[in-house]
Amino acid sequence: MKISEIGGEFSLIDRVTRGKTAGKQVIKGIGDDCAVLEYTGDTYQLITTDMMVEGDHFMLDWYSPFQIGMKLMEVNVSDIVSMGGTPAHAFISMCLPDTVTVEFMDDFYKGLYSSAETHGVHLLGGDTTHGRNYVFNLTLLGRVPKELLRLRSGAENGDLICVTGSLGGSTAGLKLLQRGITGYTADHLEPKSRTAVEAAKIALFAHAMIDVSDGLASEVTHICNESDCGACMDYNTIPLSAHTRETAQLLGEDPHEFALYGGEDFELVFTLQEGDLPGLKKKFSDFTVVGRILERESGVYLLKDGQKLPLKSGYNHFK
Amino acid sequence: MKISEIGGEFSLIDRVTRGKTAGKQVIKGIGDDCAVLEYTGDTYQLITTDMMVEGDHFMLDWYSPFQIGMKLMEVNVSDIVSMGGTPAHAFISMCLPDTVTVEFMDDFYKGLYSSAETHGVHLLGGDTTHGRNYVFNLTLLGRVPKELLRLRSGAENGDLICVTGSLGGSTAGLKLLQRGITGYTADHLEPKSRTAVEAAKIALFAHAMIDVSDGLASEVTHICNESDCGACMDYNTIPLSAHTRETAQLLGEDPHEFALYGGEDFELVFTLQEGDLPGLKKKFSDFTVVGRILERESGVYLLKDGQKLPLKSGYNHFK
């Protein structure tokens, strides 16, 4: 039976982990951006792991080794900060083909360390192996003060749904690269995680938080599933950069679709009580209100030109 | 420039990590079986990561998915226990090809969980991706009481060098599989890590400890490099199982070579003061004395039929 027949990778994870216990010390296991473990008296430890595969996550024609290294670190940092945490220690595993050169690896490590230094991450170990094509895996450990931990499950009925920065830029860049059209591709090749300092400011006010890995639609659906609630998203308020709008116009596509279903923007989606909006704005203002949390019965939908459209899910490797 | 031209994977790691700091909290970074971090007042946290690649670490013709899952867990557990620690929490990343079936993944997870349950490990998360062939990466977290932490660097002049169980079985099995000869292959397909309980008994007395990933010669060389000492290994005392001797005889090869240069036996190599031998034997006796730690000036050599032979290094993915 193919994995697509049982519903893809998320169903596979549900299937194999059913009935397994997580052990004491574990505050949150499978099902959030990071696992959360008891750590010191007033902090939790956060752990995340992300794999990047040649041909699936990156093409060597498009990415410099520097960009691959940088992106590998940024996507993992984004998982840590999306829980309100600060990244600290990284472990890298690499599967390298016979054709790998010292120059490639030097450039890759420069990118990895460039991002590590930005976010205060120390690389502490790893594993170097050999195979048919490049596969990189990074495991990142971080920590979060207990009172700042934000899960997908914290959203409350009536909360505003907000997103930092702008969305869809990664998909816009990817589409240009796929079609061989010159244009603005940096959002795809060099995505940047929000910093721990920014995320901690948001976490002070947020109820639930997640980063945009698989698209806004997918992330809001995760929040609703874990928080047992519904949501209404406002199509017209989805923040899009000028670059993203220009690329979409050039390609004759809708940039909102890039934001909703594209992914890899690594912005933060969070919910907060409406009354906390002014408080957050004083500390951090680079965000947009894009919807509202509703009761579960209301479902999860997108409001466009007065019409209620169901939210499709985001990217799935096995669908 | 090819990585082999600078001396392989270990030289690559030296090259890129030179001049990088490890940060506070870090007791030991790159260069041991695990990284060691400050944890609670009287324990350290241990972190290791190991990658297994189709075609390099396992052939689908030889391994069942169950065996791949089990081996992935055992090799990581072995890294934790070789520092005196107890494994606790695991994170798995998988790159799966289009052809993967639900049955394959069910069997793989059965193997992974079977070993996890043996060693008290809880799987807390991971990443599922897609690529041309199977790549599995496991990151394993554990802990160790501070007084039981054993590094490669702890060996002292005059120490005995010991090894648990018997060696060479994995290589013997691999050679049978490579040549399509029926025989005893379980040591290669289903290697078992020593348990945390066994390792803790040894750690009570040991000065330095490491597991056999790349062959006895390589592990003793690591201990000598990190402890700034030399060593004399006694060829005739290297423990070999009856299966390993039989296979070597069948193939017309020397089973001692399997033990010294083959690897993947996941037994423990440790050094201790001669006076502590009776004390350890009362608690744990499945080990053999195979050599002695000497001053650095003596070098690292193998004593065979009265002759001093230099120890070659073990397996290197890029040599």
Side-chain angles (χ1 to χ4, degrees), chain B residues 58-59 61-64 66-68 70-71 169-170 173-174 177 185-192 264:
Chain B
F58 62 90
M59 303 291 172
D61 292 350
W62 303 342
Y63 281 80
S64 70
F66 184 96
Q67 289 169 327
I68 298 167
M70 191 166 67
K71 187 163 178 174
S170 176
L174 174 63
L177 290 163
T185 55
D187 285 348
H188 182 71
L189 298 175
E190 299 177 3
K192 298 285 185 295
E264 294 218 329

Side-chain angles (χ1 to χ4, degrees), chain B residues 7-19:
Chain B
E9 64 208 73
F10 297 116
S11 309
L12 177 69
I13 294 166
D14 284 349
R15 180 184 173 94
V16 297
T17 58
R18 209 174 292 150

